[in-house]
Amino acid sequence: MFGAERRAVMALLPLFVAVAEAGQVSAGADDLGLPQPTVTRSLQRLAALVGTPLLERRGRTLQLTEAGRTFLPFARAALERLDAGLDELARGSALEGATVSLAFQTLLGERVVPDLIRSFRDRFPRTRFRLTQGSRALCLEALEAGDADIALVAEPPQLAGTRTLHLFRERLYATVAPDHPLATEREVSVAALAPYDLALLKHGFGLRAMAEALFAAAGIVPRVAYEAEDFHTARGLAAAGLAAAILPADPMGSRPQVRELVLADRGAVRTVGALVSTREDPALAAFEETLQRFAAGHADEV
């Protein structure tokens, strides 16, 4: 079948599906708003194009032939894809110049946030983003104050006026210099870190609360020598041999100047998720779909 014939078949699919579902030419014609003779001739044309009848008369009704039963699901699928494409164009027009307000914890800005924005803008390239980054507490405050419509945070809480999506889970590591006494270990507990200075993030960061909870569960008061305001500083202090840090894996790949030792303690895994405002907005709804696809692609991660 040549290209022109294929295009002719595509143009006749709505008539075929409408009549097949109605069981009568007259009912299908009414659904389409077309004269009955036009629909009849179109079905005859379709049968000639595909080389076999797709419908046959039985009494007062039309029924699918074996070929028609084979072809109908493909015809429906083609029309559904067409509808989806038209919907996507309509959404793109609705999102023209729209702005998504996104707050996120700093470490997520190295890989997760750029991946999400790139995936979203592949579909809706003219949408803008307003970004706020910082601690978990800052992100939640921005969301509650209305300065952000979406917050990407670890251990996302349930907040009124938002929907919570879990995106992925990640392990925590003891990050140490290559010459640290524990550097040759593959796995350690927080008890093993007790004799050593630590570089933890400041209060307000979710990782600070998680680290303190791990030490509290072990009955240990940690030796906090440094309080950092970002992950890079904490990792840098560890790389310099000044302290051990408790961090997720380096999102850009572990750099050679540090060793990342798995924390074996129960609870040394955190969930990263998104809080999405329930405010009705096409851009928010579209970005939530992007988040859902991202979560589906990371469902097996620990």
Side-chain angles (χ1 to χ4, degrees):
M1 184 179 291
F2 297 106
E5 294 171 324
R6 288 179 180 270
R7 288 192 293 273
V9 169
M10 286 294 297
L12 295 171
L13 290 184
L15 287 79
F16 166 63
V17 172
V19 173
E21 292 178 345
Q24 293 181 331
V25 172
S26 58
D30 289 343
D31 289 342
L32 295 167
L34 295 173
Q36 183 175 331
T38 300
V39 174
T40 299
R41 287 194 300 272
S42 296
L43 292 175
Q44 293 169 347
R45 170 67 173 152
L46 179 60
L49 286 166
V50 300
T52 184
L54 301 175
L55 294 158
E56 59 185 3
R57 184 170 296 283
R58 292 185 184 175
R60 294 175 175 270
T61 65
L62 285 177
Q63 295 188 13
L64 291 164
T65 63
E66 183 177 348
R69 286 192 294 273
T70 299
F71 187 59
L72 181 59
F74 294 97
R76 284 174 172 155
L79 294 178
E80 288 170 0
R81 291 292 301 273
L82 177 61
D83 286 342
L86 293 173
D87 288 343
E88 191 78 351
L89 289 176
R91 293 180 72 185
S93 297
L95 269 59
E96 182 83 20
T99 299
V100 176
S101 299
L102 177 64
F104 57 92
Q105 289 183 230
T106 303
L107 190 60
L108 301 177
E110 293 203 31
R111 175 163 292 175
V112 174
V113 171
D115 284 352
L116 287 168
I117 292 177
R118 182 180 60 226
S119 176
F120 185 81
R121 294 201 69 191
D122 283 346
R123 297 173 63 199
F124 308 111
R126 298 187 184 278
T127 303
R128 296 188 294 267
F129 283 82
R130 186 169 65 246
L131 305 179
T132 301
Q133 68 186 75
S135 68
R136 179 177 184 273
L138 182 147
C139 294
L140 295 177
E141 288 170 5
L143 186 66
E144 292 184 289
D147 295 328
D149 291 316
I150 302 167
L152 304 181
V153 296
E155 305 302 324
Q158 298 289 332
L159 292 181
T162 67
R163 285 184 293 275
T164 302
L165 302 176
H166 289 177
L167 300 180
F168 61 92
R169 299 173 71 230
E170 61 183 2
R171 295 185 183 276
L172 299 185
Y173 296 83
T175 302
V176 300
D179 59 354
H180 191 280
L182 297 175
T184 58
E185 302 292 331
R186 188 188 71 83
E187 186 175 285
V188 297
S189 65
V190 293
L193 297 174
Y196 305 105
D197 286 346
L198 294 173
L200 299 183
L201 298 185
K202 288 186 174 181
H203 291 285
F205 286 86
L207 273 180
R208 176 59 178 265
M210 289 192 70
E212 289 180 339
L214 290 172
F215 281 104
I220 298 169
V221 177
R223 290 175 50 176
V224 182
Y226 306 96
E227 292 186 314
E229 291 190 349
D230 60 63
F231 298 88
H232 301 293
T233 300
R235 186 171 279 113
L237 291 167
L242 297 172
I246 294 180
L247 299 169
D250 184 345
M252 304 307 290
S254 184
R255 297 181 176 92
Q257 66 265 33
V258 297
R259 299 285 185 269
E260 294 178 334
L261 319 176
V262 174
L263 276 181
D265 302 80
R266 184 177 181 180
V269 175
R270 71 175 188 167
T271 297
V272 175
L275 296 172
V276 183
S277 169
T278 56
R279 180 173 64 84
E280 291 189 12
D281 181 272
L284 279 181
F287 196 78
E288 187 170 352
E289 291 177 7
T290 300
L291 291 168
Q292 290 168 343
R293 285 196 297 272
F294 182 92
H298 294 75
D300 296 330
E301 291 188 6
V302 176

